[in-house]
């Protein structure tokens, strides 16, 4: 008999075994296993999507504000900078290219408060001309205005540590730069015109933006001078990198991937470890399915012996139980998939619901045991913070998680059903 003709009776027997349960425990175990797989798939999708949202905010801020998509560092300053920038802009895939200065500094604010900082010289019009830069920066006080000389815009964390506001002055006490730059000075004072914040805390706690003219004056022409290049698509960095390297052999180019290699590597390790821990849910569920299937195989050993006597191959008998495991996995993974996607789509509402639920539970116990202190009870701000994190769903990751949930049940049922191959008709008749 061909395999196509054998499949219908295999499916029929598998459905019959699913409906008939002599002791009632296999059905309960199957339901619990499906619930476990569904919960595991949903939780993993939510965790990975939230982690993607966290990382997307960090990566976007770093690429658009700090490293740019590609950094160009000439061995010697170009003779005609405008022509050099024009040639870069003429490269296929390049969106913008701007000159930048960079130096480390020790900044002194009010009351002598000191803080290390990274001074970044940029074109004064960058906030208006660079859409990606402007999207990642939120001006929390004052305005992003560095057009006038000796003005600056500070990150929110460094402004708080220095205790300065727009209109105050900061002094660059110690400053790295060219040979003509004085290391220590008490008269390099910058007026604060604005305070900004972004999605990456390190930028908020260290960056100070100044104009190119101010940078040339206080840092010197021989200071760290490079060019930040933005691409139309940041994922095409390798292709554009190779074109630029061939076009400008005397210039060193570095993409955002290699420049931030250590940080992005740490994010990847963090995500992998989190996924590995979450995958332990499937391991526990797989053990449950394995024990449930072993019991089912034992309870149906008479039926499997009869099937063998009627001519069924042992591999076909094993397939009956494997189909049971696949059904358990599908009944859990598919609802878990939709539940996880629904939670990701309504992430804000879910965290607000948790916040309200936690507040009401606390209020209940306060009113029960200490009504006088209930007026001071507030909602948990962490839930409201989490509700602002966008859930970034990646199709490939969702597919892997769902398939892994189904594969865990298939693998467990395959191991458990191997005992069905050891049952012989003679043994069953002997036992009877």
């Amino acid at each position: 008999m061909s395999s196509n003709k054998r499949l219908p009776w295999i499916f029929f027997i598998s459905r019959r075994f699913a409906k008939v349960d002599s002791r009632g425990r296999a059905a309960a175990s199957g339901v619990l296993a499906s619930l476990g797989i569904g919960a595991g798939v949903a939780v993993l999708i939510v965790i990975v999507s939230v982690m993607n949202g966290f990382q997307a905010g960090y990566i976007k801020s770093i690429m658009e504000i700090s490293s740019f998509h590609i950094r160009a560092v000439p061995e010697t300053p170009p003779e005609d900078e405008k022509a050099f920038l024009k040639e870069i802009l003429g490269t296929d895939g390049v969106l913008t290219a701007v000159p930048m200065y960079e130096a480390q500094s020790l900044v002194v604010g009010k009351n002598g408060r000191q803080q290390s900082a990274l001074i970044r010289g940029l074109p004064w019009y960058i906030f208006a001309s660079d859409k990606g830069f402007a999207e990642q920066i939120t001006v929390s006080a004052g305005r992003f205005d560095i057009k006038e000389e000796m003005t600056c815009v500070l990150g929110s964390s460094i402004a708080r540590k220095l205790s300065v506001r727009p209109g105050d002055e900061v002094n660059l006490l110690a400053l790295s730069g060219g040979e003509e730059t004085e290391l220590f000075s008490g008269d390099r004072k910058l007026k604060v015109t604005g305070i900004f914040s972004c999605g990456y805390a390190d930028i908020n706690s260290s960056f100070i933006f100044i104009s190119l003219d101010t940078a040339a004056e206080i840092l010197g022409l021989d200071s760290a001078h490079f060019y930040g290049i933005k691409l139309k698509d940041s994922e095409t960095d390798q292709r554009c990198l190779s074109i630029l390297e061939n076009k400008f052999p005397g210039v060193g180019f570095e993409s955002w991937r290699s420049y931030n290699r250590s940080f992005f590597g740490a994010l990847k390790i963090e995500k992998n470890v989190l996924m590995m821990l979450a995958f332990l849910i499937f391991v526990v569920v797989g053990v449950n399915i394995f024990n449930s299937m072993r019991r089912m195989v034992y309870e149906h050993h008479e039926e499997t012996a009869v099937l063998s006597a009627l001519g069924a191959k042992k591999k076909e008998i094993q397939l009956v139980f494997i189909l049971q495991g696949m059904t358990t996995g599908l009944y859990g993974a598919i609802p878990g998939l939709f539940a996880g996607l629904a939670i990701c789509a309504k992430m804000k509402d879910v965290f607000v619901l948790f916040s309200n639920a936690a507040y009401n539970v606390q209020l209940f116990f306060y009113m029960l045991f200490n009504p006088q202190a209930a007026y001071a009870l507030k909602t948990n701000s962490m839930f409201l913070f989490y509700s602002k994190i966008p859930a970034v769903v990646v199709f490939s990751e969702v597919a892997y998680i769902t398939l892994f949930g189904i594969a865990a049940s298939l693998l467990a049922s395959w191991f458990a059903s191997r005992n069905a191959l050891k049952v012989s008709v003679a043994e069953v008749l002997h036992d009877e």
Side-chain angles (χ1 to χ4, degrees):
M1 187 182 295
S2 66
S3 58
N4 291 334
K5 293 182 179 180
R6 289 179 179 272
L7 281 178
W9 76 262
I10 294 175
F11 282 107
F12 174 77
I13 296 297
S14 180
R15 289 196 301 270
R16 292 289 297 174
F17 280 3
K19 293 180 180 179
V20 178
D21 182 18
S22 59
R23 300 183 183 179
R25 292 181 297 180
S29 298
V31 171
L32 291 175
S34 294
L35 289 175
I37 290 176
V41 169
V43 168
L44 262 180
I45 289 174
V46 172
I47 289 176
V48 172
S49 299
V50 172
M51 179 65 72
N52 288 339
F54 265 121
Q55 294 185 359
Y58 291 156
I59 293 172
K60 200 73 174 176
S61 294
I62 290 173
M63 283 197 301
E64 299 295 340
I65 301 173
S66 176
S67 69
F68 283 53
H69 298 161
I70 294 178
R71 293 164 69 101
V73 184
E75 295 179 0
T76 57
E79 296 180 1
D80 189 346
E81 187 175 75
K82 290 184 178 180
F84 176 70
L85 290 173
K86 187 176 181 180
E87 198 169 354
I88 291 179
L89 288 171
T91 305
D92 183 35
V94 173
L95 183 63
T96 62
V98 296
M100 294 191 287
Y101 286 92
E102 196 169 82
Q104 296 290 335
S105 176
L106 179 64
V107 186
V108 181
K110 279 187 175 181
N111 304 322
R113 294 189 176 186
Q114 301 177 2
Q115 178 68 27
S116 60
L118 180 70
I119 308 297
R120 172 69 64 84
L122 294 169
W124 64 267
Y125 51 83
I126 192 168
F127 194 74
S129 63
D130 191 331
K131 183 180 178 181
F133 185 90
E135 285 178 350
Q136 294 303 312
I137 282 184
T138 301
V139 180
S140 54
R143 63 191 187 282
F144 199 100
D145 183 8
I146 53 175
K147 186 174 183 179
E148 295 183 9
E149 288 191 14
M150 305 308 289
T151 58
C152 68
V153 176
L154 283 71
S156 56
S157 297
I158 191 172
R160 184 173 61 254
K161 291 175 182 177
L162 295 175
S163 188
V164 295
R165 296 179 296 179
D168 294 336
E169 287 187 342
V170 294
N171 184 22
L172 307 184
L173 181 61
L175 188 67
S176 64
E179 295 180 356
E180 72 279 8
T181 304
E182 189 177 353
L183 180 60
F184 295 99
S185 176
D187 57 359
R188 286 186 293 238
K189 294 182 179 180
L190 301 175
K191 182 181 178 181
V192 179
T193 59
I195 296 173
F196 75 90
S197 62
C198 67
Y200 187 43
D202 281 2
I203 294 177
N204 298 332
S205 63
S206 61
F207 270 59
I208 297 178
F209 293 118
I210 59 177
S211 68
L212 291 175
D213 293 336
T214 303
E217 181 179 342
I218 65 175
L219 303 180
L221 297 175
D222 294 333
S223 60
H225 189 196
F226 60 99
Y227 299 87
I229 301 171
K230 295 283 185 69
L231 308 177
K232 296 176 182 177
D233 182 2
S234 61
E235 298 299 323
T236 61
D237 56 307
Q238 297 301 321
R239 181 181 65 84
C240 291
L241 194 67
S242 128
I243 295 174
L244 289 170
E245 286 175 343
N246 293 330
K247 199 171 184 181
F248 304 96
V251 179
F253 293 94
E254 188 174 14
S255 76
W256 61 271
R257 299 177 195 273
S258 59
Y259 185 78
N260 303 293
R261 184 186 296 110
S262 59
F263 177 76
F264 293 153
L267 288 181
K268 187 175 182 180
I269 291 173
E270 180 184 4
K271 183 177 178 180
N272 290 340
V273 170
L274 188 62
M275 289 188 66
M276 184 180 67
L277 293 176
F279 273 131
L280 291 178
I281 298 173
F282 293 135
V283 175
V284 174
V285 174
V287 172
N288 183 26
I289 295 174
F290 175 77
N291 292 327
S292 173
M293 292 300 298
R294 284 190 63 184
R295 183 165 58 249
M296 180 181 290
V297 169
Y298 176 75
E299 290 175 355
H300 292 286
H301 69 283
E302 295 178 3
E303 290 88 339
T304 55
V306 171
L307 290 173
S308 181
L310 291 174
K313 297 180 180 180
K314 291 187 175 182
K315 292 292 184 182
E316 295 170 342
I317 296 173
Q318 186 181 20
L319 184 58
V320 170
F321 296 101
I322 292 177
L323 287 175
Q324 290 275 56
M326 185 181 71
T327 303
T328 301
L330 287 173
Y331 283 169
I334 301 304
L337 167 65
F338 288 108
L341 293 177
I343 292 173
C344 291
K346 296 292 184 181
M347 185 66 68
K348 182 177 181 179
D349 297 334
V350 170
F351 279 113
V352 170
L353 179 65
F354 284 160
S355 176
N356 294 333
Y359 173 79
N360 290 327
V361 170
Q362 292 180 26
L363 181 62
F364 172 77
F365 284 103
Y366 267 95
M367 295 301 293
L368 192 63
F369 297 106
N370 191 8
Q372 295 80 9
Y375 74 92
L377 185 63
K378 297 180 180 179
T379 57
N380 192 335
S381 59
M382 290 303 297
F383 285 114
L384 300 179
F385 170 75
Y386 291 144
S387 67
K388 298 178 182 178
I389 300 171
V392 179
V393 178
V394 179
F395 174 77
S396 59
E397 294 177 347
V398 171
Y400 288 145
I401 291 169
T402 306
L403 291 175
F404 192 87
I406 298 172
S409 60
L410 277 174
L411 192 62
S413 60
W414 179 80
F415 276 110
S417 62
R418 289 186 304 173
N419 292 332
L421 305 180
K422 301 177 183 178
V423 178
S424 66
V425 180
E427 290 177 355
V428 174
L429 293 174
H430 180 270
D431 292 339
E432 293 297 326

